[in-house]
């Protein structure tokens, strides 16, 4: 596998700050052509760039339009370089953001990692109401439900969807990702025996090896 060097990251990050979509696309395409793992591109390019850009925005060093443009470029790259035709059609996962959760980049990357590992994924996107998630899980009957939750203000909505899923599907595996649980996952999830917090794409990859 091709290693992602610091020079690759800086080239991508600077192009992203400049809003140069074509250069970002070319850099990612070059890495893929050289055999770089897609998950590594997500972690070493996309996530690192978004974290750094988020800090710039927090410190008023870039504008809202600049931050939004960078986010949209990465979203377009995730869609453009999504894995295709790798599913063995046996194992199924529903990936969704909870109600009123509009940060869906992480969920998209999670969905694609499942695809890379041979799972058939059903990606529902941002802000899906609890009742609709439950209804869809009942229809699809996946092995795993993956929830994305980034804003701690949505704690009530998160607990609502987990309570419903564990009530109607008591043995269903549920995984949760997002910054809202970065510091208190054990406390929030302690009463849910089938719910696991996944803190990174690397952790997701290890988890999938076990299941």
């Amino acid at each position: 596998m091709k290693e992602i060097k610091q020079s690759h990251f800086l080239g991508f990050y600077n192009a992203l700050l400049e809003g140069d979509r074509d250069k970002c696309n070319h850099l990612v395409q070059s890495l893929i052509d050289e055999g770089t793992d897609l998950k590594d591109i997500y972690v070493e390019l996309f996530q690192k760039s978004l974290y750094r850009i988020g800090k710039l925005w927090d410190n008023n060093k870039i504008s809202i339009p600049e931050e939004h443009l960078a986010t949209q470029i990465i979203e377009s790259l995730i869609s453009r370089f999504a894995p295709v035709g790798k599913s063995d059609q046996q194992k199924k996962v529903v990936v969704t953001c909870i109600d009123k959760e509009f940060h869906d980049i992480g969920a998209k990357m999670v969905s694609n990692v499942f695809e890379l590992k041979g799972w058939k994924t059903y990606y529902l996107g941002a802000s899906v109401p609890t009742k609709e998630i439950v209804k869809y899980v009942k229809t699809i009957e996946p092995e795993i439900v993956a929830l994305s939750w980034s804003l701690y203000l949505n704690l009530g909505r998160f607990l609502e969807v987990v309570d419903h899923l564990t009530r109607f599907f008591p043995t269903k595996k549920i995984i949760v990702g997002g910054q809202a649980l970065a510091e208190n996952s054990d406390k929030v999830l302690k009463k849910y025996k089938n719910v696991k917090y996944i803190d990174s794409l690397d952790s997701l990859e290890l988890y999938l090896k076990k299941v």
Side-chain angles (χ1 to χ4, degrees):
M1 291 289 182
K2 176 76 172 181
E3 180 184 354
I4 298 180
K5 300 178 181 178
Q6 181 70 0
S7 59
H8 295 137
F9 167 73
L10 291 175
F12 179 83
Y13 174 71
N14 289 328
L16 199 61
L17 279 179
E18 295 166 2
D20 192 334
R21 187 185 304 269
D22 290 339
K23 187 173 182 179
C24 289
N25 179 78
H26 175 73
L27 288 168
V28 174
Q29 184 67 67
S30 296
L31 286 170
I32 289 176
D33 289 345
E34 292 169 358
T36 306
D37 187 82
L38 188 60
K39 189 264 296 179
D40 292 339
I41 290 173
Y42 288 168
V43 174
E44 299 297 329
L45 290 189
F46 297 172
Q47 285 189 345
K48 283 186 177 180
S49 294
L50 286 173
Y51 288 152
R52 187 173 289 192
I53 286 171
K55 289 181 179 180
L56 290 178
W57 181 79
D58 285 341
N59 294 320
N60 296 314
K61 292 184 177 180
I62 61 172
S63 66
I64 291 176
E66 288 173 315
E67 188 271 339
H68 282 191
L69 178 58
T71 300
Q72 289 301 318
I73 289 173
I74 286 181
E75 284 195 86
S76 70
L77 292 172
I78 292 172
S79 297
R80 178 180 178 85
F81 296 104
V84 178
K86 293 182 178 293
S87 171
D88 61 14
Q89 307 296 318
Q90 300 299 314
K91 298 169 292 185
K92 296 182 289 186
V93 59
V94 169
V95 182
T96 183
C97 296
I98 69 169
D99 194 17
K100 307 304 179 187
E101 178 59 65
F102 298 99
H103 296 81
D104 62 345
I105 286 183
K108 288 181 180 178
M109 290 191 284
V110 165
S111 179
N112 286 354
V113 169
F114 269 98
E115 286 274 356
L116 287 169
K117 300 303 177 182
W119 288 65
K120 183 170 179 59
T121 64
Y122 298 84
Y123 173 66
L124 308 186
S127 188
V128 182
T130 293
K131 289 183 179 179
E132 297 303 319
I133 293 175
V134 172
K135 185 187 301 183
Y136 196 73
V137 169
K138 185 176 181 180
T139 300
I140 298 299
E141 296 184 342
E143 281 74 16
I144 294 177
V145 179
L147 303 173
S148 180
W149 171 43
S150 295
L151 296 177
Y152 197 76
L153 290 173
N154 282 331
L155 173 61
R157 294 186 177 92
F158 170 74
L159 293 176
E160 178 186 60
V161 69
V162 174
D163 283 340
H164 277 68
L165 287 171
T166 54
R167 184 185 312 146
F168 289 104
F169 315 103
T171 62
K172 187 75 65 185
K173 290 184 175 64
I174 300 169
I175 61 173
V176 186
Q179 291 302 303
L181 283 173
E183 297 181 358
N184 59 357
S185 60
D186 291 342
K187 180 180 177 181
V188 174
L189 301 178
K190 64 180 180 180
K191 74 173 185 177
Y192 304 109
K193 64 179 182 179
N194 290 329
V195 182
K196 182 175 179 59
Y197 175 56
I198 302 293
D199 63 0
S200 67
L201 294 180
D202 289 328
S203 295
L204 175 62
E205 192 170 54
L206 291 173
Y207 174 78
L208 292 180
K209 288 179 180 179
K210 296 178 182 179
V211 298

